[in-house]
Structures are given as structure tokens and as C-alpha cells.
Amino acid sequence: MSLYRNTVWFLKGLQEYTKGGYEAAARLFNEADLEVNVSGRSFIITGANSGIGKAAACEIAKRGGTVHMVCRNEDRANEARKDVVEQSKNENVHVHLVDMSSPRKVWEFASGFSQNHNLHVLINNAGCMVNQRELTEDGLEKNFATNTLGMYILTTALIPTLKKSENPRVITVSSGGMLVQKLNVEDLQFEKGSFDGTMAYAQNKRQQVIMTEQWAAQHKEIHFSSMHPGWADTPAVQSSMPDFHERMKNKLRTEAQGADTVVWLAISDAASRQPSGLFFQDRKAVSTHLPLASSRSSPAEDQKLMSKLEELAVKFKC
């Protein structure tokens, strides 16, 4: 079944996830959707120092938004902030240093942020793909700690703050790679069998989509969405998937093309009219499963994921 999923997914990707796929989809975009002024609205973007996160930060700042860039590396974050301010002519761009793989640091940041700022939109973009099984100082598998648990804690901790705002939204940058994975709630940290970093990442991305669906059902006041940016030429793809990058580099989307749907979900009225909890690609809600791929989990498994994450998260709460 995994060979079937991988083959169908790659063929779909060649048609839809490439630069050509974006250009074909973009013919149907309504450009007026992004002709908005978001002055007075506050946005957190994790992993905002490069790639899709930085491109999204730039577009939102150009439209007047207050942007909070959550980054791990101080030098790169400050350099990115300088670029965003220069391109947008907007000084309301702030850097917060947080390691998303450290649950305690994420709780600490969310608590401090909530006391000092309002928040309208959270964009969960930070991610990693570590190709060898590696544990954090807390004993957590690094991909899971960053992509799943860190995102779970940040979102959960900021939900009360979001609910105080008008038209609050949470957007999670997932990946079409999740289509090749069925949720495996019994081995969240990849302790069984041989480790494959690409499949671990895809499993985390499936978990993000399920979290989005679960939160949308629980918190009706907030608009939740997840999305696939397509195959974009970002520093993360270059470093984590060098063979794929080398083979596909002429077909990859630009960072701005990868970020387009993130920005659309974050600021457009059209996006907020869509039902909450959906998965988007090129400004359209799409299926979270490939045909005949047997990748659907049961409601009990989805709930078990949320319960396990909550159990882990509270252990690290400040």
C-alpha cells in the first residue's frame, strides 16, 4: 500500500505541486482577495527567518500587519527582520527567540506573549526534517518535538488569547507528503522499526492536519486551516532533501508561490468564509486522502492523538 501511495502522490505532485501547477492554479485566483489592509491586526509566524515563513511575513507586513517572527537563531532572525522591514516599509516587525523543539520554551513564550500582546492570527510554519533519529535534551524525538508537540503547545496556549480578538485564525503549514501516511498513534516518536526522516516528517504533517480538524470542532470562534505549499525551493528543502532538490530544482515553486495560500488564509475575507478545519492547496480546499489509499484513521485514534499530546504537554508546563 505504501508503494501505491508514494507512486500516486509523486505523479500528483508532478502535475500540481510544481511551479507549473501553481501557475495553472493561479489563473483562477481572484487577486482582489489580497488587496486588503491589515493594520491593527497581529500575526505570529513561526520559522519566519527564511523560506515560506519569511515570504509570508513580508506579504503581511506590506499590508500593514504587526508581525511577530518566532525564530530559533538570533543572527538569522535579525537579518530576516531587516529584510522584511526594508521590503515592506513597516517597522512593526518583532523578533522572538524560541526553540520550538523545547516544550518548556514554547510554554514560556506563549505565556509571556499572552500577557503583553494581542493576537489575531497564528501561523504555524516552523518545522524540521532530521534524517537520523535524534533526541532533544528532554528525551523527545526531534521531528516530533518540533513539528507536532511544539505546534500543539503553542496553539493550545494561545487559543484563549486568540478568542479575545475579532476574526481570529490559525493556519498550519502542513505538507502534501502527509497523504502517504496514515496516523500511527501507537508510535508517535518512531521508537519501533527502522527510522526514515522523510516518513517521520510526513507522519508529523498528517498529525498536524488531524489536530487542525480536532481544534476546529472544539473551538468554533476560531477559523482553523492547514495547507500544502507545494514543492518550493526553500533552504529547508535544499538541506533536508538534497537529492530531491537536485532532481526537481527547475520545477520547484518560488518561496512567494509557496507562501501564497498561507497569506490568503491569513488575511483574505474569502478564506474566512470557508468552513473551519479544512486542508488547502492553491487557495482551494482539497481532500486529505488519496483515492483508495487506506489512510483514514478512526475518530478514536484521532482523539487518542490529542489525549497523548495533552498528557505530554502538561509535563513541561511552566
Short mmCIF file of all heavy atoms in Angstrom, two decimals, residues 42-44 66-68 93-96 109-120 158 160-162 164-165:
data_model
loop_
_atom_site.label_atom_id
_atom_site.label_comp_id
_atom_site.label_asym_id
_atom_site.label_seq_id
_atom_site.Cartn_x
_atom_site.Cartn_y
_atom_site.Cartn_z
N SER A 42 -2.58 41.54 14.49
CA SER A 42 -1.32 41.00 14.98
C SER A 42 -1.15 39.55 14.54
O SER A 42 -2.08 38.75 14.68
CB SER A 42 -1.32 41.10 16.52
OG SER A 42 -0.25 40.39 17.08
N PHE A 43 0.01 39.22 14.00
CA PHE A 43 0.29 37.90 13.42
C PHE A 43 1.54 37.29 14.04
O PHE A 43 2.59 37.95 14.08
CB PHE A 43 0.54 38.02 11.90
CG PHE A 43 -0.60 38.60 11.12
CD1 PHE A 43 -0.88 39.97 11.14
CD2 PHE A 43 -1.41 37.79 10.34
CE1 PHE A 43 -1.94 40.51 10.42
CE2 PHE A 43 -2.48 38.32 9.60
CZ PHE A 43 -2.73 39.68 9.65
N ILE A 44 1.46 36.06 14.50
CA ILE A 44 2.66 35.30 14.86
C ILE A 44 2.97 34.36 13.70
O ILE A 44 2.07 33.66 13.21
CB ILE A 44 2.45 34.46 16.15
CG1 ILE A 44 2.51 35.35 17.40
CG2 ILE A 44 3.51 33.37 16.26
CD1 ILE A 44 2.29 34.58 18.71
N THR A 66 0.99 43.81 12.01
CA THR A 66 2.06 43.72 13.01
C THR A 66 2.52 42.27 13.02
O THR A 66 1.72 41.36 13.29
CB THR A 66 1.55 44.13 14.40
OG1 THR A 66 1.15 45.50 14.36
CG2 THR A 66 2.62 43.95 15.46
N VAL A 67 3.79 42.05 12.73
CA VAL A 67 4.31 40.69 12.54
C VAL A 67 5.26 40.33 13.67
O VAL A 67 6.22 41.05 13.95
CB VAL A 67 5.02 40.55 11.17
CG1 VAL A 67 5.63 39.16 11.03
CG2 VAL A 67 4.05 40.84 10.03
N HIS A 68 4.99 39.20 14.31
CA HIS A 68 5.87 38.65 15.34
C HIS A 68 6.55 37.41 14.76
O HIS A 68 5.90 36.38 14.54
CB HIS A 68 5.06 38.29 16.59
CG HIS A 68 4.43 39.48 17.24
ND1 HIS A 68 5.10 40.29 18.14
CD2 HIS A 68 3.19 40.02 17.10
CE1 HIS A 68 4.30 41.27 18.53
NE2 HIS A 68 3.15 41.13 17.92
N VAL A 93 7.57 44.99 13.04
CA VAL A 93 8.03 43.61 12.85
C VAL A 93 8.94 43.29 14.03
O VAL A 93 9.91 44.00 14.28
CB VAL A 93 8.79 43.45 11.51
CG1 VAL A 93 9.27 42.01 11.32
CG2 VAL A 93 7.91 43.88 10.34
N HIS A 94 8.62 42.24 14.76
CA HIS A 94 9.31 41.94 16.03
C HIS A 94 9.85 40.52 16.01
O HIS A 94 9.22 39.61 15.48
CB HIS A 94 8.34 42.11 17.20
CG HIS A 94 7.60 43.41 17.16
ND1 HIS A 94 8.15 44.59 17.60
CD2 HIS A 94 6.36 43.73 16.68
CE1 HIS A 94 7.28 45.58 17.42
NE2 HIS A 94 6.19 45.08 16.85
N VAL A 95 11.01 40.34 16.63
CA VAL A 95 11.64 39.03 16.69
C VAL A 95 11.48 38.46 18.10
O VAL A 95 11.69 39.15 19.09
CB VAL A 95 13.15 39.13 16.34
CG1 VAL A 95 13.90 37.86 16.73
CG2 VAL A 95 13.32 39.40 14.84
N HIS A 96 11.12 37.17 18.17
CA HIS A 96 11.05 36.43 19.43
C HIS A 96 11.88 35.17 19.25
O HIS A 96 11.66 34.42 18.29
CB HIS A 96 9.61 36.05 19.77
CG HIS A 96 8.67 37.22 19.80
ND1 HIS A 96 8.36 37.92 20.94
CD2 HIS A 96 7.96 37.82 18.80
CE1 HIS A 96 7.51 38.89 20.65
NE2 HIS A 96 7.25 38.84 19.36
N PHE A 109 7.23 31.11 26.18
CA PHE A 109 6.98 32.16 25.20
C PHE A 109 5.49 32.50 25.12
O PHE A 109 5.10 33.66 25.16
CB PHE A 109 7.49 31.75 23.81
CG PHE A 109 6.91 32.60 22.70
CD1 PHE A 109 7.29 33.93 22.56
CD2 PHE A 109 5.94 32.09 21.84
CE1 PHE A 109 6.72 34.73 21.56
CE2 PHE A 109 5.37 32.87 20.85
CZ PHE A 109 5.78 34.20 20.71
N ALA A 110 4.67 31.46 25.01
CA ALA A 110 3.22 31.69 24.84
C ALA A 110 2.64 32.43 26.04
O ALA A 110 1.82 33.34 25.89
CB ALA A 110 2.50 30.36 24.64
N SER A 111 3.10 32.07 27.22
CA SER A 111 2.61 32.72 28.44
C SER A 111 3.00 34.19 28.46
O SER A 111 2.17 35.07 28.71
CB SER A 111 3.20 31.98 29.65
OG SER A 111 2.91 32.68 30.82
N GLY A 112 4.27 34.48 28.16
CA GLY A 112 4.74 35.87 28.14
C GLY A 112 4.08 36.69 27.06
O GLY A 112 3.69 37.84 27.27
N PHE A 113 3.91 36.08 25.89
CA PHE A 113 3.29 36.80 24.76
C PHE A 113 1.86 37.18 25.11
O PHE A 113 1.43 38.31 24.87
CB PHE A 113 3.32 35.93 23.49
CG PHE A 113 2.85 36.66 22.27
CD1 PHE A 113 3.75 37.35 21.46
CD2 PHE A 113 1.50 36.70 21.93
CE1 PHE A 113 3.32 38.04 20.33
CE2 PHE A 113 1.05 37.39 20.81
CZ PHE A 113 1.97 38.06 20.01
N SER A 114 1.12 36.25 25.68
CA SER A 114 -0.29 36.48 26.00
C SER A 114 -0.47 37.62 26.99
O SER A 114 -1.47 38.34 26.95
CB SER A 114 -0.91 35.21 26.59
OG SER A 114 -0.87 34.19 25.63
N GLN A 115 0.50 37.79 27.87
CA GLN A 115 0.41 38.86 28.87
C GLN A 115 0.69 40.24 28.28
O GLN A 115 0.21 41.25 28.80
CB GLN A 115 1.38 38.59 30.02
CG GLN A 115 0.96 37.44 30.93
CD GLN A 115 2.08 36.98 31.84
OE1 GLN A 115 2.95 37.76 32.20
NE2 GLN A 115 2.08 35.70 32.19
N ASN A 116 1.46 40.26 27.19
CA ASN A 116 1.93 41.55 26.66
C ASN A 116 1.39 41.96 25.30
O ASN A 116 1.60 43.09 24.87
CB ASN A 116 3.47 41.52 26.57
CG ASN A 116 4.11 41.35 27.93
OD1 ASN A 116 3.88 42.16 28.83
ND2 ASN A 116 4.89 40.29 28.11
N HIS A 117 0.71 41.06 24.60
CA HIS A 117 0.28 41.36 23.23
C HIS A 117 -1.12 40.79 22.97
O HIS A 117 -1.52 39.83 23.61
CB HIS A 117 1.23 40.72 22.20
CG HIS A 117 2.66 41.10 22.37
ND1 HIS A 117 3.20 42.26 21.86
CD2 HIS A 117 3.68 40.46 23.00
CE1 HIS A 117 4.49 42.32 22.16
NE2 HIS A 117 4.80 41.25 22.85
N ASN A 118 -1.78 41.37 21.98
CA ASN A 118 -2.98 40.70 21.46
C ASN A 118 -2.57 39.87 20.24
O ASN A 118 -1.44 39.98 19.76
CB ASN A 118 -4.09 41.71 21.12
CG ASN A 118 -3.67 42.66 20.02
OD1 ASN A 118 -2.55 42.64 19.53
ND2 ASN A 118 -4.59 43.52 19.60
N LEU A 119 -3.46 39.02 19.77
CA LEU A 119 -3.13 38.15 18.64
C LEU A 119 -4.38 37.86 17.84
O LEU A 119 -5.39 37.44 18.39
CB LEU A 119 -2.51 36.83 19.15
CG LEU A 119 -2.13 35.81 18.08
CD1 LEU A 119 -1.00 36.35 17.18
CD2 LEU A 119 -1.70 34.48 18.73
N HIS A 120 -4.28 38.08 16.53
CA HIS A 120 -5.41 37.78 15.64
C HIS A 120 -5.17 36.51 14.81
O HIS A 120 -6.11 35.78 14.53
CB HIS A 120 -5.64 38.96 14.68
CG HIS A 120 -6.05 40.21 15.38
ND1 HIS A 120 -5.13 41.10 15.91
CD2 HIS A 120 -7.27 40.72 15.67
CE1 HIS A 120 -5.78 42.11 16.48
NE2 HIS A 120 -7.07 41.90 16.35
N LEU A 158 -2.15 29.55 23.08
CA LEU A 158 -2.57 30.85 22.55
C LEU A 158 -4.06 30.93 22.21
O LEU A 158 -4.56 32.01 21.89
CB LEU A 158 -1.73 31.21 21.31
CG LEU A 158 -0.25 31.53 21.60
CD1 LEU A 158 0.52 31.69 20.29
CD2 LEU A 158 -0.10 32.79 22.45
N PRO A 160 -6.77 30.91 24.13
CA PRO A 160 -7.52 31.91 24.90
C PRO A 160 -7.27 33.35 24.43
O PRO A 160 -8.19 34.18 24.40
CB PRO A 160 -7.02 31.71 26.34
CG PRO A 160 -6.52 30.29 26.37
CD PRO A 160 -5.94 30.06 25.00
N THR A 161 -6.03 33.65 24.04
CA THR A 161 -5.69 35.00 23.55
C THR A 161 -6.36 35.25 22.20
O THR A 161 -6.89 36.33 21.94
CB THR A 161 -4.16 35.14 23.42
OG1 THR A 161 -3.57 34.80 24.68
CG2 THR A 161 -3.74 36.55 23.04
N LEU A 162 -6.32 34.26 21.32
CA LEU A 162 -6.97 34.39 20.01
C LEU A 162 -8.46 34.64 20.16
O LEU A 162 -9.04 35.45 19.42
CB LEU A 162 -6.73 33.11 19.19
CG LEU A 162 -5.34 32.96 18.56
CD1 LEU A 162 -5.06 31.49 18.24
CD2 LEU A 162 -5.21 33.81 17.31
N LYS A 164 -10.03 36.30 22.20
CA LYS A 164 -10.35 37.68 22.60
C LYS A 164 -10.36 38.63 21.39
O LYS A 164 -10.75 39.78 21.52
CB LYS A 164 -9.33 38.19 23.62
CG LYS A 164 -9.37 37.47 24.96
CD LYS A 164 -8.21 37.94 25.83
CE LYS A 164 -8.07 37.09 27.08
NZ LYS A 164 -6.81 37.37 27.78
N SER A 165 -9.88 38.15 20.24
CA SER A 165 -9.73 39.01 19.06
C SER A 165 -10.88 38.82 18.08
O SER A 165 -11.56 37.80 18.09
CB SER A 165 -8.42 38.70 18.35
OG SER A 165 -7.33 38.96 19.21
#
